[in-house]
Amino acid sequence: METESAKIHLSVDCTVLGFDGERLEVLLIRRTGVEGGEEFHDMKLPGSVIVDGEELDDAARRVLTELTGLKNVPLTQFHAFGSPDRTKDPRDIHWLEATQQMHVGRTVTIGYMALVKIGRSIMGDMEGTEALWVPVDKLPPLAFDHNQIIAEAVKMLRTLASMDPSMLYALMPRKFTVTQLRNLYEVVFGARLDPANFYKKMVQMPYIVPLEEREKGVAHRAARYYRFDKNTYNKTRI
Amino acid sequence: METESAKIHLSVDCTVLGFDGERLEVLLIRRTGVEGGEEFHDMKLPGSVIVDGEELDDAARRVLTELTGLKNVPLTQFHAFGSPDRTKDPRDIHWLEATQQMHVGRTVTIGYMALVKIGRSIMGDMEGTEALWVPVDKLPPLAFDHNQIIAEAVKMLRTLASMDPSMLYALMPRKFTVTQLRNLYEVVFGARLDPANFYKKMVQMPYIVPLEEREKGVAHRAARYYRFDKNTYNKTRI
DNA sequence: TTTTGTTATTGTGTTTAATACAATTTGAAT
DNA sequence: ATTCAAATTGTATTAAACACAATAACAAAA
């Protein structure tokens, strides 16, 4: 007789990071559940179980679009989270059973991360889902191990950005001042940077192109706006 | 009635890398199977399905020890491989069914990597398993998507080492010449390095301690041996 | 034993990037 | 017009990366 080896559920969770000019934020989904007869509200990462025969990367893309409306966002797989206790909380178990109509065994999730401009409009397909930005340093307790997943994603962002800081432009708005860009660097690397030296270093880059427009309504010299030229960047790259 | 959502098998695969003084090698397991009435032999990464309730990291450690005898090897999770076609080859399907006594559905594997000194003795617990080192640039077609997994592991090694080259000492023997170390750097980074400059850079490191011993029997000036002092390294680290 | 070939090791100078910090500019508010 | 704060420009120092010539040492060949 054939033994059936242990099977598990597999999901993907997307950590979408944005920058509001001052700090990193993560895109979360509101969740409503019932526990002990009481309705509760909390938040979770956009994520879901994968579909039969679906590639992992495709699953991440699909889930992100369904829950947030975001399309054409480059997603990067960064870590698998598979602790047997990650779905131990009764709230999470009951919520899974209610929403997935399934008996919940062990669930391993593949973590993906993405960087988006925080101004992009967010709107899920699913009825009743609502996405919102929350500062990563002010997160309440989230569903499952999602606090841990976000912490790992931010760590990965730091690691990747230290190798190639240009990836951070994905977080900046179309036009930005050098100071705004410096703020992002400071948040990501957790260090103060000399404004003068940072300015010179950035402005010399051929792919940082100056615009005519300047800041309005600041009580000091108005800064020039710049934009990131992806084309020039790709050509400049070795 | 409750629907049973799609479940999958989950495994771990360990890419153990070593350095023979000239090139990178990977530790593989010989596999014997039967296909079309014919016995065949090929190789695969040390890996296996996870056990109920086991942490992913624990599974990787356990599997590596069982199949190669290696203990106390730091393993790093680096990527999940979950393409639906990764277990499409009939050879692989039949082999899984024979060895795991299970009906094989989709199997997702979590890739781990480790760096070890190539001199360590390799000896599996399991009867009939045999591990051997194979140069990563001379790999035959392997089981499943293991060629791809190894390629990703080597890419990850490059990435990690470019951030912190000191991790490469895990690949070097206890005592080594500066030239041997330079060879490793050149293999990993795929670039030639100036021997004179590399020498000066390395010898100035406080954690590279010179030994009295020198090379024997070379037809040129004998190089001094050095060793990596982990203690000093950790103290020197900021 | 001397010469030769080869790699280890040392020396020196150039170039580039990182860093510190003073000085100047400018828009808005007083 | 004066003041404030931040943007921008200037200048100098330091450290690291890099190129490459020169010397040292060992084994094998002559």
Side-chain angles (χ1 to χ4, degrees):
Chain A
M1 175 198 149
E2 190 176 62
T3 333
E4 185 68 10
S5 131
K7 283 190 170 188
I8 57 164
H9 294 285
L10 189 70
S11 62
V12 290
D13 281 295
C14 301
T15 302
V16 180
L17 297 173
F19 178 62
D20 70 355
E22 196 168 326
R23 49 192 173 184
L24 286 175
E25 309 211 336
V26 60
L27 195 56
L28 298 178
I29 301 292
R30 243 192 245 293
R31 176 177 81 159
T32 300
V34 179
E35 185 63 31
E38 295 286 312
E39 190 175 87
F40 68 88
H41 301 274
D42 63 359
M43 289 181 286
K44 65 184 285 290
L45 288 171
S48 184
V49 294
I50 68 171
V51 166
D52 256 6
E54 190 178 36
E55 294 281 347
L56 299 180
D57 292 1
D58 293 340
R61 213 176 356 258
R62 170 181 63 76
V63 165
L64 184 61
T65 301
E66 285 177 0
L67 295 177
T68 71
L70 286 169
K71 292 181 183 177
N72 301 320
V73 174
L75 281 156
T76 306
Q77 188 201 114
F78 71 93
H79 200 77
F81 297 85
S83 172
D85 343 299
R86 62 181 297 277
T87 47
K88 235 179 30 186
D89 188 323
R91 279 190 174 192
D92 296 330
I93 294 174
H94 295 154
W95 181 83
L96 272 180
E97 286 173 346
T99 59
Q100 306 294 324
Q101 262 105 60
M102 71 187 191
H103 172 66
V104 180
R106 181 174 182 179
T107 301
V108 171
T109 198
I110 312 294
Y112 280 80
M113 77 161 225
L115 307 181
V116 312
K117 303 187 193 310
I118 213 168
R120 291 182 64 163
S121 76
I122 308 297
M123 168 58 78
D125 290 344
M126 319 271 284
E127 64 299 329
T129 65
E130 185 190 352
L132 68 166
W133 290 104
V134 182
V136 294
D137 53 1
K138 288 205 161 40
L139 290 174
L142 305 176
F144 305 105
D145 53 354
H146 290 188
N147 291 84
Q148 186 197 342
I149 293 178
I150 294 168
E152 288 296 325
V154 171
K155 198 183 292 180
M156 180 60 70
L157 169 63
R158 272 188 238 286
T159 302
L160 294 177
S162 75
M163 300 194 63
D164 176 20
S166 74
M167 70 182 290
L168 296 179
Y169 289 106
L171 291 168
M172 297 297 290
R174 197 122 61 262
K175 63 183 183 188
F176 52 85
T177 66
V178 173
T179 299
Q180 287 170 349
L181 183 60
R182 176 165 49 84
N183 285 340
L184 175 56
Y185 272 64
E186 292 184 341
V187 166
V188 170
F189 296 122
R192 289 235 147 281
L193 300 172
D194 180 90
N197 291 330
F198 185 84
Y199 177 88
K200 279 175 292 189
K201 186 156 139 183
M202 287 304 145
V203 173
Q204 78 182 106
M205 301 297 180
Y207 49 82
I208 305 284
V209 334
L211 307 177
E212 278 318 309
E213 193 178 351
R214 285 161 186 282
E215 273 184 322
K216 296 272 184 216
V218 288
H220 56 263
R221 178 172 177 179
R224 179 184 286 277
Y225 280 113
Y226 295 81
R227 67 180 178 80
F228 175 67
D229 190 314
K230 204 168 192 168
N231 244 327
T232 311
Y233 176 75
N234 290 332
K235 286 177 192 162
T236 315
R237 263 336 222 182
I238 312 167
Chain B
M1 176 196 149
E2 191 176 62
T3 334
E4 185 68 9
S5 132
K7 282 190 169 188
I8 57 164
H9 294 285
L10 189 70
S11 63
V12 290
D13 280 297
C14 301
T15 302
V16 181
L17 297 173
F19 179 63
D20 71 355
E22 196 168 326
R23 49 192 173 186
L24 286 175
E25 309 210 338
V26 60
L27 195 56
L28 297 178
I29 301 292
R30 244 193 244 293
R31 176 178 81 158
T32 300
V34 178
E35 184 62 31
E38 295 287 311
E39 189 175 88
F40 69 88
H41 300 275
D42 63 357
M43 288 181 286
K44 65 184 287 290
L45 288 171
S48 184
V49 293
I50 68 171
V51 165
D52 256 6
E54 189 178 36
E55 294 281 346
L56 299 180
D57 292 1
D58 293 341
R61 213 176 356 257
R62 170 182 61 77
V63 165
L64 183 62
T65 301
E66 284 177 1
L67 294 178
T68 71
L70 286 169
K71 292 181 184 178
N72 301 319
V73 174
L75 281 156
T76 305
Q77 188 201 115
F78 72 93
H79 200 77
F81 298 84
S83 171
D85 345 297
R86 62 181 299 277
T87 48
K88 232 178 32 186
D89 187 324
R91 279 191 174 193
D92 296 330
I93 294 174
H94 295 154
W95 181 82
L96 271 181
E97 286 173 347
T99 58
Q100 305 296 324
Q101 262 104 60
M102 71 186 190
H103 172 67
V104 180
R106 180 174 182 179
T107 302
V108 171
T109 198
I110 311 295
Y112 279 80
M113 75 163 225
L115 307 181
V116 312
K117 304 187 193 313
I118 214 168
R120 291 181 64 164
S121 75
I122 308 298
M123 170 57 78
D125 290 346
M126 318 270 285
E127 64 299 329
T129 65
E130 184 189 353
L132 69 167
W133 290 103
V134 182
V136 294
D137 53 2
K138 287 207 161 41
L139 289 175
L142 305 176
F144 305 104
D145 52 355
H146 290 188
N147 292 84
Q148 185 197 343
I149 293 177
I150 293 168
E152 289 295 326
V154 171
K155 198 183 294 179
M156 179 60 70
L157 169 62
R158 272 187 239 287
T159 302
L160 295 177
S162 75
M163 300 195 63
D164 176 20
S166 74
M167 70 181 292
L168 296 178
Y169 289 107
L171 291 168
M172 297 298 289
R174 195 122 63 263
K175 64 182 183 189
F176 53 85
T177 67
V178 174
T179 299
Q180 288 170 349
L181 183 59
R182 176 165 50 82
N183 286 339
L184 174 56
Y185 273 65
E186 292 185 340
V187 166
V188 170
F189 297 122
R192 289 235 147 281
L193 299 173
D194 181 90
N197 291 330
F198 185 85
Y199 178 88
K200 280 176 290 188
K201 187 157 138 181
M202 286 306 146
V203 173
Q204 80 182 103
M205 302 295 182
Y207 49 84
I208 305 285
V209 334
L211 307 177
E212 279 317 309
E213 193 178 351
R214 286 161 186 281
E215 273 182 322
K216 296 272 185 213
V218 288
H220 56 263
R221 176 171 177 180
R224 180 185 286 276
Y225 281 113
Y226 296 81
R227 67 179 178 81
F228 175 67
D229 190 312
K230 203 168 193 169
N231 244 327
T232 312
Y233 176 75
N234 291 332
K235 285 177 192 163
T236 316
R237 263 336 220 184
I238 312 166

